[in-house]
Amino acid sequence: MTPAARSVAASVWRQLPFFVWLIALWMLLWGQFTVLTALTGLIVAVFVTRIFRLPPVELSGRVNLWYSLVFVVTFVFALVRGSLIVAWQTLDLRRYPGTAIVAVPMRTDDDLILAHVGVTASLIPGSLIIDIDRDRRILYLHVLGVSSDADVEKQRRSVQGWEARIVRAVGSRAQLEAIRGEGSRSPRQGGDLR
């Protein structure tokens, strides 16, 4: 195989997850999982990526299937748990669930990981991303059910846990080492506003 062919093959391999995601999104949009929607999704994915020239998404090229499964199972559990907690907070008329804006410092410097962590944290009921400081790598969340500094720190550790799970599943080796190295030290403290 020539170097040019290897370069093209490597580029296609790096962009393959993005194409698969666009096709899956197209199929979800139509609510049909058929061969026809997969083919039209492929056509739309090629059209969108060729007409709307976005900068290429640099993926790590590393996918750990075990940690991906751990992420999915943990995420589903967190969705159910978060829904039940928010429902209970709504029905419990004896006390008002406290709220807070929590700053969560990220340990990796990757826009894709930052986006995944932000989306994951926002999808779990009880928290919502309200701002991202990309330069300082800090996510700001509005959180329900906070009544003490311990609750704020628990929420901060929870979001950093999602970052660690995502890095273990799809992060680069350097990001994985950063997460492991940071885990042995105390996490950086981010400010919180209440």
Side-chain angles (χ1 to χ4, degrees):
M1 189 181 272
T2 66
R6 277 193 198 126
S7 175
V8 169
S11 175
V12 168
W13 179 252
R14 278 194 307 267
Q15 295 298 318
L16 186 63
F18 183 60
F19 269 81
V20 170
W21 172 247
L22 285 176
I23 293 168
L25 193 61
W26 180 259
M27 293 170 81
L28 286 170
L29 178 68
W30 287 102
Q32 298 177 357
F33 298 95
T34 63
V35 174
L36 181 60
T37 53
L39 288 175
T40 56
L42 177 64
I43 292 167
V44 169
V46 169
F47 178 77
V48 165
T49 56
R50 295 298 162 222
I51 298 300
F52 303 107
R53 302 294 285 188
L54 298 172
V57 177
E58 289 296 325
L59 301 173
S60 68
R62 183 188 149 279
V63 175
N64 185 309
L65 294 178
W66 171 251
Y67 282 115
S68 296
L69 178 65
V70 168
F71 171 80
V72 169
V73 169
T74 309
F75 179 69
V76 169
F77 176 74
L79 282 177
V80 172
R81 182 177 181 272
S83 297
L84 292 173
I85 288 172
V86 169
W88 175 249
Q89 289 171 348
T90 303
L91 296 174
D92 186 9
L93 301 176
R94 293 173 292 149
R95 77 178 189 106
Y96 177 77
T99 61
I101 305 294
V102 180
V104 183
M106 296 286 97
R107 296 166 290 183
T108 57
D109 188 18
D110 183 278
D111 290 340
L112 198 57
I113 298 293
L114 187 70
H116 283 311
V117 174
V119 168
T120 301
S122 285
L123 287 175
I124 297 171
S127 64
L128 180 68
I129 296 290
I130 57 171
D131 193 19
I132 297 176
D133 185 341
R134 184 173 173 251
D135 295 331
R136 293 180 7 196
R137 300 177 309 177
I138 297 177
L139 296 177
Y140 293 94
L141 289 89
H142 180 266
V143 182
L144 295 176
V146 176
S147 58
S148 67
D149 288 339
D151 291 340
V152 169
E153 190 56 38
K154 180 180 174 185
Q155 183 65 36
R156 189 176 289 125
R157 281 194 315 271
S158 173
V159 174
Q160 289 177 336
W162 288 114
E163 177 191 24
R165 287 182 197 97
I166 291 168
V167 167
R168 285 186 189 110
V170 296
S172 68
R173 296 198 188 283
Q175 292 166 345
L176 191 58
E177 290 304 317
I179 291 294
R180 287 180 179 155
E182 189 74 25
S184 62
R185 290 178 260 138
S186 62
R188 292 182 295 166
Q189 297 295 313
D192 61 289
L193 311 170
R194 276 193 265 176

